[in-house]
Amino acid sequence: SQQGEEDPQALSIQEGENATMNCSYKTSINNLQWYRQNSGRGLVHLILIRSNEREKHSGRLRVTLDTSKKSSSLLITASRAADTASYFCATDGTSGSRLTFGEGTQLTVNP
Amino acid sequence: DVKVTQSSRYLVKRTGEKVFLECVQDMDHENMFWYRQDPGLGLRLIYFSYDVKMKEKGDIPEGYSVSREKKERFSLILESASTNQTSMYLCASRPQGYLNYGYTFGSGTRLTVV
């Protein structure tokens, strides 16, 4: 079953704008991760946030985690056309070493 | 950089054929995974492995089997390919101590069964 659910399913913005994607999940987690997938390719790991962390930064990426609401957000600042891709959240549950992925947000950044 | 290599980017097979999808990683990772990705269904876990000769069923193992005879190689086998197994197949690996690591994915194999 899909643990994470991303919102929105699709997002279209102009270059230079910020993009925010949200993820909700259902059960307890050890960590939450965000991945990017360019069309027809494999996923690339972007950032991992542990359950005891509230915010994490990596370059133009900012991730927040609210375990009380079982939700996370990914913010991409100053977006570029090259950021056009699908973005997935994935949760690492407490029961074992496997990730459960959401269905992704398709981000389009228009030049 | 860790590399996960999937043997084929595109594959076309006939219904009823036995199909082998190969995945090799070069960083001595203990954990390896096979997912399939379909529009509207996201990524679904087929099988995973914690170590050589170890395997665990994921969410959708029916119609598939796996083999892990060496640590670096994890093979997915479609015993008798069917058209509903047309999909993108993604292999991934991760070291032990998983709480601190993400997956490294291969580039994917797009399988079409005709």
Side-chain angles (χ1 to χ4, degrees), chain B residues 19-75:
Chain B
V19 181
F20 293 85
L21 302 183
E22 305 289 345
C23 175
V24 177
Q25 50 96 2
D26 66 358
M27 279 297 287
D28 205 35
H29 285 178
E30 289 79 12
N31 301 315
M32 296 188 75
F33 307 84
W34 275 106
Y35 287 83
R36 65 176 282 177
Q37 183 178 23
D38 301 285
L41 296 175
L43 277 77
R44 293 179 291 167
L45 181 64
I46 306 171
Y47 267 98
F48 59 108
S49 169
Y50 291 122
D51 204 345
V52 176
K53 297 191 186 296
M54 304 293 289
K55 60 184 178 184
E56 297 282 344
K57 292 181 180 179
D59 298 321
I60 51 162
E62 296 78 18
Y64 303 93
S65 62
V66 290
S67 172
R68 192 157 181 211
E69 296 296 318
K70 294 185 178 181
K71 193 173 187 179
E72 67 270 20
R73 185 180 296 270
F74 192 35
S75 303

Side-chain angles (χ1 to χ4, degrees), chain B residues 93-105:
Chain B
S93 73
R94 174 159 74 170
Q96 273 185 337
Y98 60 89
L99 292 180
N100 299 314
Y101 297 101
Y103 285 11
T104 300
F105 279 88

Side-chain angles (χ1 to χ4, degrees), chain B residues 76-91:
Chain B
L76 180 69
I77 304 155
L78 285 65
E79 298 292 342
S80 176
S82 64
T83 55
N84 63 14
Q85 292 178 310
T86 291
S87 185
M88 171 72 114
Y89 289 88
L90 294 164
C91 176

Side-chain angles (χ1 to χ4, degrees), chain A residues 84-98:
Chain A
T84 294
S86 292
Y87 292 82
F88 293 85
C89 72
T91 52
D92 221 339
T94 54
S95 61
S97 178
R98 48 172 289 181

Side-chain angles (χ1 to χ4, degrees), chain A residues 24-111:
Chain A
S24 60
Y25 58 93
K26 297 173 185 173
T27 61
S28 296
I29 61 171
N30 282 314
N31 65 62
L32 185 143
Q33 304 177 27
W34 285 90
Y35 289 78
R36 165 198 170 120
Q37 183 181 35
N38 286 73
S39 180
R41 308 294 294 187
L43 280 71
V44 175
H45 180 253
L46 295 176
I47 195 164
L48 180 155
I49 185 165
R50 297 190 189 91
S51 59
N52 61 353
E53 297 176 314
R54 292 296 166 256
E55 188 170 313
K56 203 159 183 182
H57 296 254
S58 176
R60 293 185 296 114
L61 305 180
R62 172 178 169 254
V63 170
T64 62
L65 178 65
D66 186 336
T67 52
S68 66
K69 295 182 180 178
K70 291 187 168 58
S71 67
S72 173
S73 67
L74 171 68
L75 168 68
I76 304 174
T77 60
S79 63
R80 305 165 182 167
D83 293 328
T84 294
S86 292
Y87 292 82
F88 293 85
C89 72
T91 52
D92 221 339
T94 54
S95 61
S97 178
R98 48 172 289 181
L99 291 180
T100 304
F101 288 82
E103 292 184 25
T105 292
Q106 173 61 50
L107 173 66
T108 302
V109 181
N110 301 299

